[in-house]
Amino acid sequence: MKFDTVIIGGGLAGMTCGIRLAQAGQRCAIVSQGQSAIHFSSGSFDLLGQLPDGEPVLDPEAGIAELAGRWPSHPYAVIGTENCARYARQVPELLREAGIRVTGQAQHNHFRITPMGKSRATWLTIDGYLTTPQIGEFPFKRVCIVNIEGFLDFYPEFIAEELRKFGIECRFGNFNHPDLELIRRNPSEMRSANIARVFDHDADLEALAAELRRLAAGCDALILPALIGINRNDSLEFLKQRVGHPIYLLPTLPPSIPGIRAQQALQHRFRALGGEYFLGDCVLSAQTEQGRVRRVFTANHGDIPFEADHFVLATGSFFSKGLVATPDRIVEPVFEADVVSRPGRAEWYTLHFFDRHEYQAFGVRTDNRLRVIRQGAPLENLYCVGAGLAGFHPVQEGCGAGVSMLSALYAAESIARASDKPVAFD
Amino acid sequence: MNIQQNSVSENNFEQCIKCTICTVYCPVAAANPDYPGPKQAGPDGERLRLKRPDFFDNALKYCMNCKRCEVACPSNVRIGDIIQAARIKYGPQHNTSLRNFVLANTDLVGSLATPFAPIVNATVKLKPVRLVMDKVMGIDHRRIFPKYAHGTFTAWYRRHAAAAQEAYPRQVAYFHGCYVNYNNPQLGKDLLKIMNALGYGVQLLDKEQCCGVALISNGLYKQARRQAETNLRSIRTSVKGRELDVITTSSTCTFTLRDEYPHLLKLENADVRDHIELATRYLYRLLQTGKGQLKFKEAAPLRVAYHTPCHMEKMGWAYYSIELLRMIPGVEVTVLDSQCCGIGGTYGFKKENYEVAQSIGAPLFRQIEDSGADIVATDCETCKWQIEMSTSKPCEHPLHILASRLA
């Protein structure tokens, strides 16, 4: 099978890269081992929320400039301040063209609310989710936090505890319906996707609206877990119209409905642009000749290889097995690329879960064009993008989505320039 | 000794991190609330079953074994295999229902029906007959039964084709499956036409029996294993004795021979597995490596919508069929979203599953109707029946379309 570019990994980075290259006229394939971590999405995309030293960032663009000066091995520093700003301007359009409607600015973080009620700085948020321009500046004084009876992945009490710190009056509401009883027979399966399917039916959504209308009395607004609209686009509007009050969604624990929607939207977009998406397959080996990757072999395709001019390693970090931790070292399994890590396992982590652990910044060693380094030298046509890169702490710095998308656009630009089909990238 | 390697369980069961992504993509869980979904039925339930077999939940029978959970799983857990293996190990062992026996024994029923095909076809179409089958056997009266051919593919092959096949310089073996033999011999003839045009003669296996997929899903495991042993013997004779690769035209037969035999029936096939493949993949390789060329005739434009069957999705091979269709001059291909049509082999024939099957397939049927296609193409026979029954479009195998446009 011959392609212009083969991308290994179908998460946010892989798909962003694939979409950009397909837009540039390339014939691309994405090989993805199962669905990606986009399914755990918060409904927001972070660019930069904190510097590595813990200083909060209000203006991510300025924050990236400072980061680039002080932490030169950070992916943003490698990509470059000006490039980062330019790509950050392209991302909202790329998402919107895929049907993911987002709001936000790269010069100005806003705040999303986590399923536990905490405020987190973020860059872009999918429309409909609760955000605040500054911490604590909620668009309501009195709010009713509604849960679905028996739903395990949403915590109204914790959320209320946080909101009350800012003087918000919180009430609780609980919704139940006979159609939900069917899922409740397996209480461990009271999960977002199963519940959202119920609310895709008009009658159930109507019933929810009626209860929300009752609960809204005396409140400025309602908060609802993101359990609506898995296969329909109009669910929130439908509820807002019938209830007549503002309704804000909050993300739930995984699987996340906005994540499922985003994954499917990006996949659709990639395919609509002529991309081939190979789901449920795994790259087992690669052949390189004279410093170039020639072809990769996968579990499903056996003796028929994927051949391409360029390859992109977007296999992610530990969760997706883009990096594998053995007892004494970190391995990148597809190409056996050089890895940035530390020798002693005891130095990989601390005993506190929320600390900035060293292992989180481990990743594939690259040159300044993000080309993968193996045995000390870059492979000429293999680029690493996304969570598998070294030198950043996605959770502590609040930059996971940004690094994924910006590194993907940077690699795509390099690839498009190096191919016979150069395209303007502005 | 590598303790970590040796403590890895079958089907990667311990790799499950409970992310629930499998359940998001389960067509049955979306349509039938009686089914707890693949996470619960698979890895979660397995923990309990390992402790005490009587934790076996009869709701596992609702799994249609489409394997879409496995395709979706980010952690490479063989969820579908865990569920099917649990049914084999802990579920009811002797399936006595007449209905399941008839549905599962495609070989036996096919050989009884083909000699009287015109009568059988006319009879099972009759409303009163369908009502009786519904009431007595539990085969839903709304389900349209596939037509039987008057005379089998193998009989035709022996009488009219076998001798001529010897003349070709290169040879390949063909696992035709029950569908080609009893329902659609034309597809087998189409394959011969294409392979012959490329200079390949087509041989039958020494002895071929139904691949057994329907036996497995209907609980007739012993019979499935017996038939699988027969097939593997014949395949080995072909691959190792005669150095002939084995090609097939059904995505589900292929998947069963390659993966269900070792995973579910515990019959090792590693020595021949790579030599069993779909004809579309075999053809793609020949054409791409320049080892063959096909000449097409001028023909009217045709808009084809390709549907990816579940087991095709699992194998990841839809690409080959789609690329072959794209090679045909005048054919414009659109690829439908990969989603289950609902039939699940014999699943949708059963009265208790009819509504669920049609509800699973509904989004696909809508997309087909809106596609503007003249014809739907797919590599699975039961998908074809379901699509033809549930939409206004005809549905054919990609190789039938290809053969009909050969010069």
Side-chain angles (χ1 to χ4, degrees), chain B residues 45-193:
Chain B
E46 189 70 4
R47 283 167 193 272
L48 302 173
R49 294 188 290 264
L50 284 173
K51 209 169 167 111
R52 271 218 337 254
D54 54 0
F55 276 117
F56 178 80
D57 180 355
N58 219 21
L60 264 59
K61 70 179 178 197
Y62 294 117
C63 166
M64 60 158 76
N65 197 24
C66 71
K67 311 279 194 204
R68 284 187 185 266
C69 49
E70 296 186 6
V71 176
C73 175
S75 306
N76 208 12
V77 181
R78 293 213 308 258
I79 307 155
D81 286 353
I82 293 174
I83 296 168
Q84 292 306 315
R87 291 185 60 198
I88 293 173
K89 190 166 174 194
Y90 307 111
Q93 292 302 305
H94 300 286
N95 203 316
T96 47
S97 130
L98 171 67
R99 189 260 325 257
N100 289 5
F101 181 83
V102 169
L103 286 177
N105 275 275
T106 46
D107 243 342
L108 176 68
V109 176
S111 44
L112 290 173
T114 36
F116 317 101
I119 304 166
V120 174
N121 292 339
T123 312
V124 294
K125 252 199 329 210
L126 297 172
K127 243 195 181 134
V129 176
R130 277 156 58 178
L131 280 173
V132 170
M133 292 205 309
D134 185 308
K135 292 280 169 292
V136 177
M137 290 176 66
I139 294 173
D140 198 279
H141 65 278
R142 290 159 290 186
R143 180 65 56 194
I144 294 171
F145 241 68
K147 277 193 186 134
Y148 285 103
H150 197 192
T152 62
F153 169 74
T154 44
W156 170 85
Y157 177 91
R158 292 205 178 91
R159 208 165 306 141
H160 302 289
Q165 294 307 305
E166 300 295 344
Y168 291 93
R170 285 164 293 182
Q171 298 288 329
V172 68
Y174 178 38
F175 185 98
H176 48 71
C178 304
Y179 167 67
V180 163
N181 205 23
Y182 305 114
N183 302 106
N184 190 2
Q186 183 55 45
L187 177 56
K189 296 175 190 174
D190 291 335
L191 178 77
L192 260 67
K193 186 177 169 188

Side-chain angles (χ1 to χ4, degrees), chain A residues 129-152:
Chain A
Y129 287 78
L130 178 60
T131 62
T132 62
Q134 300 296 336
I135 292 183
E137 282 184 13
F138 288 99
F140 41 70
K141 287 259 172 272
R142 279 171 303 181
V143 71
C144 181
I145 307 168
V146 183
N147 198 8
I148 308 303
E149 182 129 357
F151 179 51
L152 302 164

Side-chain angles (χ1 to χ4, degrees), chain A residues 123-396:
Chain A
W123 167 34
L124 302 168
T125 296
I126 297 174
D127 292 355
Y129 287 78
L130 178 60
T131 62
T132 62
Q134 300 296 336
I135 292 183
E137 282 184 13
F138 288 99
F140 41 70
K141 287 259 172 272
R142 279 171 303 181
V143 71
C144 181
I145 307 168
V146 183
N147 198 8
I148 308 303
E149 182 129 357
F151 179 51
L152 302 164
D153 297 324
F154 187 69
Y155 308 98
E157 297 278 359
F158 287 133
I159 296 161
E161 197 181 308
E162 292 299 320
L163 298 189
R164 283 173 185 145
K165 290 181 187 165
F166 300 98
I168 308 292
E169 204 179 296
C170 297
R171 293 205 326 232
F172 301 109
N174 225 341
F175 178 77
N176 201 359
H177 191 268
D179 287 353
L180 291 164
E181 291 300 335
L182 295 169
I183 324 174
R184 202 169 287 116
R185 281 180 300 178
N186 294 290
S188 66
E189 299 311 298
M190 277 298 280
R191 302 285 170 195
S192 58
N194 289 339
I195 298 172
R197 282 192 193 114
V198 173
F199 290 127
D200 269 359
H201 300 137
D202 273 337
D204 296 286
L205 200 57
E206 197 77 71
L208 176 62
E211 179 63 7
L212 293 181
R213 204 160 43 232
R214 197 183 67 78
L215 291 168
C219 287
D220 311 330
L222 295 153
I223 289 176
L224 198 62
L227 293 172
I228 52 169
I230 188 164
N231 287 313
R232 55 191 280 177
N233 297 320
D234 64 333
S235 306
L236 186 59
E237 275 314 305
F238 181 103
L239 289 179
K240 279 182 182 167
Q241 269 181 17
R242 279 173 176 63
V243 176
H245 274 68
I247 300 172
Y248 299 99
L249 297 175
L250 273 193
T252 68
L253 295 193
S256 110
I257 302 298
I260 294 167
R261 296 288 310 252
Q263 167 82 30
Q264 291 172 355
L266 290 169
Q267 216 167 299
H268 248 106
R269 174 76 177 141
F270 175 66
R271 282 194 159 126
L273 289 164
E276 297 284 350
Y277 196 95
F278 293 86
L279 184 66
D281 199 3
C282 176
V283 174
L284 298 176
S285 65
Q287 277 179 5
T288 52
E289 290 162 14
Q290 290 154 353
R292 290 181 74 85
V293 180
R294 297 291 171 186
R295 52 189 70 84
V296 296
F297 293 89
T298 72
N300 282 347
H301 292 278
D303 66 316
I304 300 184
F306 288 76
E307 299 181 322
D309 297 332
H310 297 274
F311 292 83
V312 177
L313 183 65
T315 46
S317 180
F318 299 101
F319 161 69
S320 52
K321 300 189 179 70
L323 299 174
V324 176
T326 71
D328 59 343
R329 64 195 191 101
I330 307 293
V331 178
E332 184 283 302
V334 179
F335 296 96
E336 290 175 29
D338 293 356
V339 168
V340 178
S341 69
R342 281 172 182 258
R345 194 183 172 97
E347 289 179 51
W348 293 1
Y349 51 87
T350 77
L351 297 178
H352 300 281
F353 186 73
F354 287 107
D355 273 2
R356 193 180 140 95
H357 299 270
E358 288 299 330
Y359 79 86
Q360 290 168 336
F362 293 171
V364 172
R365 195 180 290 279
T366 63
D367 70 1
N368 59 7
R369 287 169 57 194
L370 298 185
R371 290 182 309 179
V372 170
I373 292 178
R374 195 174 67 168
Q375 294 168 3
L379 287 159
E380 225 175 282
N381 63 340
L382 175 66
Y383 299 78
C384 181
V385 300
L389 286 168
F392 71 109
H393 289 254
V395 180
Q396 183 262 324

Side-chain angles (χ1 to χ4, degrees), chain A residues 1 3 27 33-35 39 182 185-186 188-189 193 197 255 264 268 276 278-280 300-301 303 319 321, chain B residues 15 17 23-25 30 33-34 36 39-40 71-74 76 281 284-285 315-317 319-320 326 337:
Chain A
M1 290 179 273
F3 298 92
R27 185 158 160 69
Q33 180 178 315
Q35 298 286 1
H39 286 72
L182 295 169
R185 281 180 300 178
N186 294 290
S188 66
E189 299 311 298
R197 282 192 193 114
Q264 291 172 355
H268 248 106
E276 297 284 350
F278 293 86
L279 184 66
N300 282 347
H301 292 278
D303 66 316
F319 161 69
K321 300 189 179 70
Chain B
Q15 294 285 320
I17 58 159
T23 300
V24 173
Y25 292 93
D34 287 333
K39 177 171 78 76
Q40 173 64 31
V71 176
C73 175
N76 208 12
R281 182 169 190 260
Y284 176 89
R285 191 192 290 101
M315 291 191 292
W317 289 357
Y319 181 78
Y320 302 115
R326 283 181 179 147
D337 291 342

Side-chain angles (χ1 to χ4, degrees), chain B residues 87-391:
Chain B
R87 291 185 60 198
I88 293 173
K89 190 166 174 194
Y90 307 111
Q93 292 302 305
H94 300 286
N95 203 316
T96 47
S97 130
L98 171 67
R99 189 260 325 257
N100 289 5
F101 181 83
V102 169
L103 286 177
N105 275 275
T106 46
D107 243 342
L108 176 68
V109 176
S111 44
L112 290 173
T114 36
F116 317 101
I119 304 166
V120 174
N121 292 339
T123 312
V124 294
K125 252 199 329 210
L126 297 172
K127 243 195 181 134
V129 176
R130 277 156 58 178
L131 280 173
V132 170
M133 292 205 309
D134 185 308
K135 292 280 169 292
V136 177
M137 290 176 66
I139 294 173
D140 198 279
H141 65 278
R142 290 159 290 186
R143 180 65 56 194
I144 294 171
F145 241 68
K147 277 193 186 134
Y148 285 103
H150 197 192
T152 62
F153 169 74
T154 44
W156 170 85
Y157 177 91
R158 292 205 178 91
R159 208 165 306 141
H160 302 289
Q165 294 307 305
E166 300 295 344
Y168 291 93
R170 285 164 293 182
Q171 298 288 329
V172 68
Y174 178 38
F175 185 98
H176 48 71
C178 304
Y179 167 67
V180 163
N181 205 23
Y182 305 114
N183 302 106
N184 190 2
Q186 183 55 45
L187 177 56
K189 296 175 190 174
D190 291 335
L191 178 77
L192 260 67
K193 186 177 169 188
I194 297 167
M195 295 312 296
N196 291 171
L198 287 163
Y200 278 76
V202 177
Q203 302 293 327
L204 301 188
L205 294 173
D206 281 352
K207 189 160 192 236
E208 177 186 321
Q209 289 189 311
C210 167
C211 70
V213 67
L215 296 167
I216 298 170
S217 56
N218 286 288
L220 298 160
Y221 310 118
K222 274 189 193 148
Q223 194 189 343
R225 206 166 281 123
R226 271 201 311 276
Q227 294 188 191
E229 278 164 356
T230 305
N231 287 331
L232 279 178
R233 247 192 322 275
S234 302
I235 289 170
R236 285 201 172 97
T237 308
S238 166
V239 171
K240 297 173 139 176
R242 300 188 198 126
E243 296 191 349
L244 295 184
D245 291 329
V246 179
I247 60 173
T248 61
T249 39
S250 156
S251 44
T252 285
C253 294
T254 315
F255 176 67
T256 306
L257 297 170
R258 284 168 53 94
D259 293 338
E260 301 283 71
Y261 281 9
H263 294 166
L264 298 184
L265 301 179
K266 304 293 170 207
L267 295 172
E268 196 44 65
N269 68 354
D271 55 331
V272 290
R273 181 176 180 267
D274 286 347
H275 297 274
I276 308 166
E277 68 179 329
L278 263 184
T280 53
R281 182 169 190 260
Y282 195 81
L283 287 166
Y284 176 89
R285 191 192 290 101
L286 280 181
L287 298 172
Q288 282 296 312
T289 53
K291 288 183 186 142
Q293 239 187 337
L294 289 173
K295 289 200 185 82
F296 294 96
K297 62 186 177 196
E298 294 243 338
L302 187 70
R303 285 167 304 177
V304 179
Y306 185 81
H307 161 67
T308 306
C310 295
H311 291 158
M312 191 71 147
E313 176 78 2
K314 169 65 184 160
M315 291 191 292
W317 289 357
Y319 181 78
Y320 302 115
S321 295
I322 294 163
E323 286 297 295
L324 280 186
L325 285 168
R326 283 181 179 147
M327 277 177 209
I328 310 171
V331 168
E332 186 197 316
V333 186
T334 53
V335 181
L336 299 163
D337 291 342
S338 178
Q339 50 188 329
C340 181
C341 74
I343 191 74
T346 60
Y347 188 92
F349 283 86
K350 299 173 184 173
K351 189 178 162 72
E352 68 272 24
N353 295 336
Y354 180 84
E355 304 277 356
V356 169
Q358 296 314 101
S359 131
I360 289 171
L364 175 71
F365 307 151
R366 267 197 304 276
Q367 205 191 9
I368 288 172
E369 295 296 356
D370 296 343
S371 67
D374 303 310
I375 187 169
V376 180
T378 193
D379 290 77
C380 172
E381 53 276 6
T382 59
C383 293
K384 169 194 156 82
W385 296 332
Q386 171 76 330
I387 287 167
E388 290 193 326
M389 189 194 100
S390 312
T391 74

